[in-house]
């Protein structure tokens, strides 16, 4: 880091790659051992100008860096992906910047112990680590900040080394290096004093006095200032021929006693000890880990730079309370006092930094008439006064970086705590905490503390619900606690009932001068017009969160412009960004936004309805693309009416991308449909069709989404579609309900919904979904052991599939029909259909279909008594499933394989296969029928093997599974239980 960026491997430095890759390495290496989230890496590398492909680029850089590390023999996990970020886990001493800081800390300790030679050697070793400008040529705001910090660190180390050289009498040797250093840094006063001392002690008094004249000219020309009090005092002593100056300089690490030099009037000889912290909060609760981390950072004795801790988060999250608590906890480590300022950053009258500095200087003993006029001069004097002191500064509610920077001391032993809703990217913060809501336990703790444990424990369930209604926002919890404490006659349940109506929830969250709505109003009134419009417009639809692409479509804006507006809302703490490219409202912030009045222009154009329409259109376009990736060639895709997308709208190029999009936007999509359904008779009939098509497209990802949750929404959609006579939407909604019930083995509901779907689809002429409804009716009849009826439904589905040219769907239905015939005792009819389907699926190179066909064909062969051939088909099926990673079909084939092995008398192999199938289905939800069959077959194998206890246990478990699922196979399990239960053990 202390030069050009690279990785040293076996003594040679390997370059860090392109500039942005070096910036990525720097951001990870200078936070070694810590997870750096992707959004922070993006900010570090590009600042506010990150490209749309930033995440992909960063992943490429990390991949390349990992390869470099691996080539040097490092553990591949040294650069690991952790959640939404990366962590570089290397020893801090292996990063030259950290090694330099450690050497500096060791030198400081050696100096304090009087081991000055050792201290000077350690500082020399530290300075030698610099190989040029730190992070040379590395772009990005993080690199710029660290370059400035590390350059300043080198200068400070050199100055300390110069002081030690003078103390050790190395006057002549240090003169050339001091002269060169002043040439590089002509505005730093301390080195002029060192050079004057060195020259004077070397017998060059005239040169020493000339240095003072040169310093005075440079400072006057560049800064308009005279030399400071210490340099002027040194000059006076030289003019007076002070003999002590020929002796070694005083030890730099020891705190100076009363000074002999005259002190400028601006800096008081004895500083007052301000104690400005407001009173601590008696009922502070929670945040234990965060408190400990902040306290540790502020009191770290080994630090080599000013400790600055920033606390961020939305209004009402508890930033000020936390900062005040940590300030009181660590104040004893700052014996020279504490300074406090409310910067009023969220109000209309934010504090002026100059006025705050004047107040601070006055508190530190500087006479008001001596306070300079400009902010810059006040900031310089503030740093001068605090030099060598230990003072804690608490800056509450900062507006932005520009307000904070002049208020930062320069002294390493001072510390600063800053709270702000805004992201203070320009503040050199060593520790940043972004507060989120309380955990439920923390919220309950605060409630107990204020209201009293006895009342809360009497109604614990209501108390849990109450803090949940407050969205665990600390301010909201404090308000409801204050209301309960002031009203002993109120129960927790009564106040909870008052909060149940979301339309009045914010008005209930008010007590004396505390109000949750006020927190959001302050932030809202600072927004620009476009920002405020986005905040209002997305509130109805962005639940629980929304992606950037979806938000841009809903707002009818380009993604770059949308991202700028949304990030501004994040900076204002009115939105949260849980991960790159996703945004969400806090629950109470959303309530606030929903109740904001819309301008007349937005009401006149029906702005909310337009946002919903545009969002549903975008979601359908994306879902249709995802559906095509999941089931290419399915005729349903051709029946989805998709309007043209916006230029530059996201496209899903792979099945992996499709899956990721569905998982990310599923909740938002279902919520969009719920908003439409809530309009009832006022819903747009065309949008009902869009909504139904959207749910059908999402349904193909049933393994990746909470299908049952979608079915609840589909049921409401079916009812509203029926009101409008929209048979297309009703049929598709009923189909989803039936399919979800079938997957959950709720056979009666599945039959009813699938019949309603078939009827509505026939009226709408929706043959694609009608085919699937017939298929589901066949599966239901098969589950209910009505095998002839099942075969009839499958034949109807097959005829439609052939009409639609749905070859893949037709083959699946063929196999379903074959299975119904096998179980109905007509295996001889099923076998030719299996052969035909298997041949076609092999020609299509469809591994899932091939595995299915082999499993069904094996069952047909088993029923026909052709057991070795059945085993061969099951073995082939298992090979395909292993190669293509199809675990569900593999487990089905295993228990069928076990049953055939049992009949052949190969009991040990049968036991192993059945046990593996049972183990799999015990880990998979909503596969009760397969689990029951696996247990039933395992029980039979155990019984044949003489393992009667195991047979009884497995058959009893199978009985429980089938009974709970309402499946007729429970009768088979009951017979087996009765048979195995009478065997003596």
């Amino acid at each position: 880091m202390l030069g050009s960026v690279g990785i040293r491997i076996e003594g040679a430095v390997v370059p860090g790659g392109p500039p942005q890759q070096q910036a990525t390495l720097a951001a990870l290496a200078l936070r070694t051992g810590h997870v750096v989230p992707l959004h922070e890496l993006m900010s570090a590398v590009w600042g506010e100008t990150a490209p749309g492909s930033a995440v992909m680029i960063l992943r490429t850089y990390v991949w390349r860096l990992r390869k470099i590390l691996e080539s040097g023999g490092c553990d591949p996990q040294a650069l690991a992906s952790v959640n939404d970020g990366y962590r570089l886990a290397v020893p801090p001493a292996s990063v030259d910047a950290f090694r330099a800081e450690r050497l500096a800390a060791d030198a400081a300790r050696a100096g304090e112990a009087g081991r000055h030679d050792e201290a000077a050697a350690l500082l020399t070793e530290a300075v030698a680590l610099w190989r040029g400008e730190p992070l040379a040529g590395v772009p990005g705001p993080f690199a710029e900040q660290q370059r400035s910090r590390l350059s300043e660190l080198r200068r400070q180390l050199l100055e300390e080394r110069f002081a030690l050289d003078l103390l050790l009498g190395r006057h002549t040797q240090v003169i050339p290096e001091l002269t060169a250093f002043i040439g590089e840094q002509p505005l730093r006063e301390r080195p002029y004093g060192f050079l004057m001392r060195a020259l004077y002690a070397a017998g060059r008094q005239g040169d020493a006095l000339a240095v003072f004249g040169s310093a005075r000219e440079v400072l006057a020309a560049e800064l308009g200032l005279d030399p400071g009090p210490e340099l002027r005092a040194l000059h006076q002593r030289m003019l007076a021929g002070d003999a002590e100056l020929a002796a070694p300089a005083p030890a730099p690490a020891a705190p100076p006693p009363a000074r002999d030099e005259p002190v400028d009037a601006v800096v008081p000889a004895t500083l007052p000890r301000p104690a400005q912290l407001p009173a601590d909060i008696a009922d502070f609760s929670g945040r234990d880990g965060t408190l400990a981390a902040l306290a540790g950072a502020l009191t770290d004795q080994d630090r080599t730079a000013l400790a600055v801790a920033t606390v961020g988060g939305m209004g009402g999250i508890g930033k000020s309370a936390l900062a005040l608590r940590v300030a009181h906890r660590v104040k004893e480590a700052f014996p020279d006092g504490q300074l406090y300022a409310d910067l009023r950053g969220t109000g209309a009258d934010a504090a002026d930094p100059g006025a705050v500095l004047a107040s601070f200087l006055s508190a530190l003993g500087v006479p008001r008439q001596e306070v300079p006029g400009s902010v810059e001069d006040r900031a310089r004097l503030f740093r001068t006064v605090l030099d060598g002191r230990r003072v804690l500064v608490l800056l509450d509610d900062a507006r932005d970086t520009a307000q904070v920077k002049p208020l930062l001391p320069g002294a390493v032993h001072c510390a600063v705590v800053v709270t702000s809703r805004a992201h203070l990217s320009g503040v050199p913060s060593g520790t940043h905490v972004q507060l989120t809501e309380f955990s439920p336990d923390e919220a309950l703790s605060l409630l107990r503390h204020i209201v009293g444990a006895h009342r809360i424990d009497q109604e614990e369930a209501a108390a849990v619900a109450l803090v949940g209604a407050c969205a665990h926002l600390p301010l909201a919890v404090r308000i409801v606690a204050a209301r309960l404490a002031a009203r002993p006659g109120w129960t927790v349940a009564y106040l909870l009932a008052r909060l149940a109506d979301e339309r009045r929830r914010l008005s209930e969250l008010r007590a004396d001068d505390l109000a949750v709505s006020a927190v959001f109003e302050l932030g809202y009134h600072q927004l620009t017009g476009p920002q405020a419009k986005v905040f209002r417009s997305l509130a109805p639809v962005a639940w629980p969160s929304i992606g950037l692409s979806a938000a841009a479509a809903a707002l009818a804006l380009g993604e770059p412009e949308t991202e700028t507006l949304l990030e501004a809302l994040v900076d204002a703490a009115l939105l949260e960004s849980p991960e790159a490219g996703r945004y969400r409202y806090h629950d109470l912030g959303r309530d606030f936004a929903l109740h904001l009045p819309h301008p007349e222009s937005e009401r006149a154009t029906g702005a909310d309805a337009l946002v919903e329409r545009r969002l549903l259109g975008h979601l359908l376009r994306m879902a249709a693309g995802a559906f095509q990736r999941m089931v290419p060639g399915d005729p349903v895709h051709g029946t989805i009416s998709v309007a043209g997308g916006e230029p530059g709208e996201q496209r899903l190029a792979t099945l992996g991308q499709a899956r990721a999009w569905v998982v990310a936007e599923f909740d938002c999509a279902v919520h969009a449909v719920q908003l439409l359904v809530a309009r009832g008779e006022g819903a747009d009939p065309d949008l009902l069709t869009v909504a139904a098509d959207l749910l059908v497209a999402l349904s193909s990802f049933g393994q990746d989404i909470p299908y049952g949750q979608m079915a609840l929404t589909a049921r409401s959609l079916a009812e509203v579609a029926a009101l409008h006579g929209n048979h297309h939407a009703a049929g598709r909604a009923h189909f989803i309900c039936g399919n979800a019930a079938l997957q959950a083995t709720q056979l009666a509901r599945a039959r009813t919904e699938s019949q309603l779907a078939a009827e509505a689809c026939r009226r709408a002429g929706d043959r694609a979904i009608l085919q699937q409804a017939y298929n589901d009716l066949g599966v239901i009849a098969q589950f209910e052991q009505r095998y002839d009826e099942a075969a009839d439904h499958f034949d109807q589905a097959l005829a439609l599939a052939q009409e639609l040219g749905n070859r893949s769907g037709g083959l699946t239905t063929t196999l379903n029909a074959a299975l119904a015939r096998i179980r109905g005792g007509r295996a001889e009819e099923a076998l030719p259909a299996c052969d035909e389907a298997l041949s076609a699926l092999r020609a299509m190179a469809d591994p899932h279909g091939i595995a299915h066909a082999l499993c069904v064909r094996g069952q047909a062969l088993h029923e026909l008594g052709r057991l070795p051939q059945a085993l061969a088909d099951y073995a082939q099926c298992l090979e395909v499933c292993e190669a293509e990673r199809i675990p569900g079909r593999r487990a089905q084939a295993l228990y069928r394989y076990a049953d055939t092995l049992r009949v052949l008398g190969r009991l040990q192999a049968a036991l192993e296969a059945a046990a593996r199938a049972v183990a799999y289905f015990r880990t998979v939800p909503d596969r009760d029928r397969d689990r029951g069959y696996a247990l039933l077959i395992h029980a039979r194998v155990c019984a044949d093997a003489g393992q009667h206890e195991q047979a009884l246990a497995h058959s009893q478990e199978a009985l429980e599974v089938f009974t709970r699922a309402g499946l007729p196979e429970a009768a088979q399990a009951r017979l087996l239980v009765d048979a195995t239960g009478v065997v003596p053990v």
Side-chain angles (χ1 to χ4, degrees):
M1 301 298 114
L2 302 180
S4 57
V5 172
I7 302 173
R8 185 178 296 277
I9 299 176
E10 297 180 351
V13 176
V14 178
Q20 276 84 13
Q21 185 171 309
Q22 294 180 37
T24 305
L25 174 59
L28 293 167
L30 290 173
R31 293 188 63 185
T32 184
H34 296 277
V35 177
V36 184
L38 273 172
H39 71 272
E40 289 188 17
L41 275 177
M42 291 167 61
S43 178
V45 176
W46 290 285
E48 302 297 325
T49 60
S53 57
V55 172
M56 187 179 300
I57 294 171
L58 284 173
R59 286 179 175 145
T60 301
Y61 290 158
V62 168
W63 179 82
R64 292 175 182 169
L65 291 170
R66 194 177 282 135
K67 290 299 180 185
I68 295 174
L69 290 168
E70 289 179 18
S71 70
C74 288
D75 182 345
Q77 290 304 308
L79 178 48
S81 173
V82 183
N83 298 326
D84 183 32
Y86 295 97
R87 177 177 60 213
L88 180 61
V90 296
S94 66
V95 180
D96 54 7
F98 291 145
R99 177 165 171 73
E101 291 176 338
R102 171 56 60 185
L103 287 167
D106 291 345
R109 282 191 289 270
E112 289 172 358
R115 303 192 305 273
H116 303 308
D117 278 311
E118 179 186 341
L122 288 167
L123 288 172
T124 300
E125 183 182 352
V127 170
L129 292 172
W130 271 261
R131 296 171 287 106
E133 182 185 42
L135 305 173
V138 178
F142 177 82
E144 184 58 38
Q145 175 189 333
Q146 293 298 317
R147 188 159 36 243
S148 174
R149 182 182 74 84
L150 293 171
S151 297
E152 176 60 24
L153 175 61
R154 177 180 178 274
R155 291 189 285 267
Q156 289 178 3
L157 297 183
L158 273 171
E159 288 186 6
E160 293 305 315
R161 220 277 326 280
F162 294 147
L164 286 166
D165 285 341
L166 293 177
L167 176 67
L168 295 166
R170 300 169 182 167
H171 307 106
T172 303
Q173 297 95 316
V174 81
I175 289 172
E177 199 172 355
L178 269 170
T179 303
F181 184 81
I182 289 172
E184 296 173 8
Q185 305 293 330
L187 302 182
R188 297 174 79 92
E189 287 193 35
R190 197 179 179 205
Y192 285 111
F194 291 153
L195 183 55
M196 289 170 66
R197 284 181 177 274
L199 289 167
Y200 194 88
R204 297 166 58 181
Q205 289 88 344
D207 289 340
L209 293 171
V211 168
F212 178 79
S214 174
R216 181 165 53 195
E217 290 175 6
V218 169
L219 294 172
E222 297 294 331
L223 303 176
L225 297 174
D226 289 328
E230 291 189 8
L231 203 60
R232 292 203 306 272
L234 180 60
H235 181 239
Q236 290 298 321
R237 291 176 64 192
M238 288 183 177
L239 290 175
D242 190 336
E244 290 184 11
L245 292 176
R259 304 186 185 202
D260 294 329
E261 301 94 333
V263 180
D264 192 286
V266 170
V267 182
T270 303
L271 288 179
R273 184 185 182 281
Q276 297 185 342
L277 292 180
D280 199 0
I281 298 172
D283 51 23
F284 183 90
S285 294
R287 314 287 196 200
D288 292 337
T290 304
L291 267 173
L294 287 172
L298 294 170
T299 56
D300 180 10
Q301 296 299 309
D302 294 334
R303 66 180 185 270
T304 57
L306 174 70
V308 180
T310 54
V311 181
M314 63 177 289
I317 205 71
K319 301 182 296 296
S320 299
L322 175 68
L324 191 56
R325 172 53 59 100
V326 77
H328 277 283
R329 177 174 289 190
V330 304
K331 67 181 180 182
E332 299 306 322
F334 300 92
D336 297 318
Q338 314 100 43
L339 296 169
Y340 169 82
D342 179 0
L343 300 183
R344 306 189 302 277
T346 50
D349 60 338
D352 174 62
V356 175
L357 283 167
S359 174
F360 281 175
L361 289 169
S362 177
L364 291 167
V366 177
R368 289 200 174 273
Q369 64 272 20
E370 301 288 355
V371 174
S374 71
V375 174
E376 292 79 7
D377 288 343
R378 290 179 181 183
R380 290 191 191 98
L381 181 56
F382 179 58
R383 293 192 292 271
T384 300
V385 171
L386 291 186
D387 188 41
R389 310 284 174 173
R390 291 179 179 271
V391 173
L392 176 65
V393 182
L394 173 52
L395 304 174
D396 193 22
D397 192 18
R399 178 188 58 204
D400 52 28
T401 298
Q403 189 186 32
V404 171
K405 270 195 167 181
L407 307 178
L408 299 180
V412 66
H413 294 300
C414 290
V416 183
V417 184
V418 187
T419 73
S420 179
R421 295 191 194 182
H423 180 55
L424 305 176
S425 56
V427 173
S429 172
T431 303
H432 175 72
V433 171
Q434 189 72 17
L435 292 185
T436 57
E437 301 86 351
F438 270 159
S439 69
D441 286 345
E442 287 176 323
L444 278 175
S445 175
L446 179 58
L447 199 63
R448 280 193 177 92
H449 206 108
I450 298 174
V451 180
H454 179 68
R455 284 178 71 186
I456 299 306
D457 291 343
Q458 282 184 325
E459 299 181 84
E460 186 165 0
V464 170
L466 181 65
V467 296
C470 294
H472 303 118
L473 184 71
L475 176 61
V477 175
R478 182 172 292 280
I479 288 172
V480 296
R483 295 190 72 185
L484 283 172
R487 296 163 176 82
W490 281 18
T491 64
V492 177
Y494 174 72
L495 181 53
L496 176 63
R498 293 177 69 100
L499 293 177
D501 185 350
E502 291 188 359
R503 292 170 298 180
R504 55 180 286 186
R505 180 159 55 159
L506 285 177
S507 63
E508 290 289 339
L509 292 175
R510 183 182 300 272
D512 296 329
D513 60 343
L514 296 178
V516 169
S517 58
V519 165
F520 296 110
E521 284 168 4
L522 284 171
Y524 179 71
H525 289 308
Q526 290 186 345
L527 301 179
T528 65
Q531 291 166 359
K533 182 178 180 181
V534 169
F535 182 65
R536 293 189 303 269
S537 299
L538 288 181
V541 298
W543 190 92
S545 66
I546 192 168
L548 175 60
S549 180
L555 296 167
L557 298 173
E559 284 194 22
E561 183 181 356
T562 303
E563 184 176 39
T564 298
L565 291 165
L566 292 173
E567 287 297 326
L569 293 174
V570 172
D571 289 340
L574 289 171
L575 283 187
E576 299 170 350
S577 181
E579 60 183 273
R582 291 207 72 77
Y583 301 89
R584 69 183 177 203
Y585 290 76
H586 185 274
D587 285 353
L588 297 179
R590 186 168 175 271
D591 284 354
F592 174 78
L594 288 173
H595 293 94
L596 286 169
H598 286 256
E600 178 57 37
S601 59
E602 292 180 18
R603 291 198 299 272
T605 57
D608 281 352
L610 280 174
V611 167
E612 291 175 25
R613 175 181 289 276
R614 289 192 293 253
L615 177 61
L616 278 168
H618 164 81
L619 292 170
L620 179 58
R621 287 192 295 274
M622 297 299 294
F627 180 89
Q628 194 168 24
R629 293 293 174 193
M630 175 57 85
V631 280
D634 193 304
V636 170
H637 182 265
T639 68
I640 297 175
S641 301
V642 179
E646 295 296 324
E649 192 171 56
Q650 182 183 3
R651 292 289 183 269
L652 303 171
T654 66
L655 178 57
Q657 289 180 5
R659 272 202 169 96
W661 180 87
V662 168
V663 170
E665 295 295 359
F666 173 79
D667 287 330
C668 184
V670 170
H671 177 68
V673 175
Q674 290 169 346
L675 285 176
L676 175 67
V677 168
R679 298 183 185 274
E681 293 183 355
D684 185 328
D686 292 339
L687 284 184
L688 293 173
T689 299
V690 170
D693 288 352
L694 171 59
L695 296 185
V696 164
L698 293 174
S699 70
S700 62
F701 292 84
Q703 300 282 334
D704 303 301
I705 58 176
Y707 203 22
Q709 176 187 335
M710 185 169 68
L712 292 174
T713 300
R715 190 168 300 131
S716 300
L717 175 60
E719 293 172 1
V720 175
L723 286 176
H724 289 266
N726 188 331
H727 300 301
H728 175 97
R732 295 190 166 208
H734 281 303
F735 162 70
I736 289 169
C737 295
N739 191 255
L742 175 57
Q743 291 190 29
T745 330
Q746 297 171 353
L747 300 183
R749 178 178 288 278
R751 190 187 324 107
T752 299
E753 293 288 352
S754 297
Q755 287 170 346
L756 289 170
E759 182 181 347
C761 287
R762 283 192 291 268
R763 290 182 179 180
D766 188 355
R767 295 186 300 163
I769 297 299
L770 180 59
Q771 178 220 328
Q772 298 196 18
Y774 280 145
N775 188 74
D776 281 0
L777 285 167
V779 173
I780 294 163
Q782 184 168 286
F783 277 12
E784 294 175 334
Q785 299 183 349
R786 293 182 283 106
Y787 298 116
D788 290 341
E789 180 186 332
D792 290 343
H793 284 309
F794 287 135
D795 289 343
Q796 288 176 297
L798 179 59
L800 282 171
Q802 291 169 343
E803 286 179 26
L804 294 166
N806 183 6
R807 190 181 183 197
S808 176
L811 291 171
T812 299
T813 304
T814 296
L815 292 172
N816 287 341
L819 195 55
R821 289 182 168 89
I822 292 167
R823 291 178 180 167
R826 297 154 61 188
E828 70 284 353
E829 296 177 29
L831 189 59
C834 291
D835 291 336
E836 182 183 342
L838 182 59
S839 176
L841 287 163
R842 280 179 168 152
M844 295 166 62
D846 178 355
H848 287 262
I850 291 168
H852 187 193
L854 286 167
C855 192
V856 174
R857 188 173 185 272
Q859 291 174 68
L861 291 166
H862 178 101
E863 293 301 322
L864 292 170
R866 295 159 61 178
L867 301 182
Q869 290 173 277
L871 283 184
D873 274 12
Y874 290 139
Q876 285 186 56
C877 176
L878 291 171
E879 287 178 12
V880 173
C881 292
E882 291 282 356
E884 299 295 331
R885 298 182 181 179
I886 313 172
R889 186 70 67 194
R890 174 180 171 275
Q892 286 179 330
L894 276 171
Y895 70 69
R896 293 295 175 190
Y897 186 56
D899 198 31
T900 303
L901 287 168
R902 178 186 68 82
V903 176
L904 286 168
R906 295 166 58 183
L907 298 180
Q908 186 57 42
L911 284 169
E912 293 173 3
R916 289 160 65 192
V918 168
Y920 173 80
F921 285 118
R922 278 179 173 154
T923 66
V924 181
D926 298 329
R927 296 290 293 270
D928 287 342
R929 187 168 181 273
D930 279 312
R931 181 181 169 190
Y933 266 120
L935 286 163
L936 202 59
I937 288 170
H938 199 181
R940 287 172 180 158
V941 177
C942 288
D944 287 2
Q947 298 177 4
H948 300 296
E949 288 186 6
Q950 294 93 326
L952 179 59
H954 291 316
S955 58
Q956 285 175 331
E957 187 179 349
L959 176 60
E960 292 172 7
V961 171
F962 286 136
T963 301
R964 184 172 61 248
L967 290 169
E969 284 88 346
Q972 295 180 46
R974 167 60 66 189
L975 289 173
L976 191 55
V977 168
D978 293 342
T980 54
V982 298
V983 178
V985 294

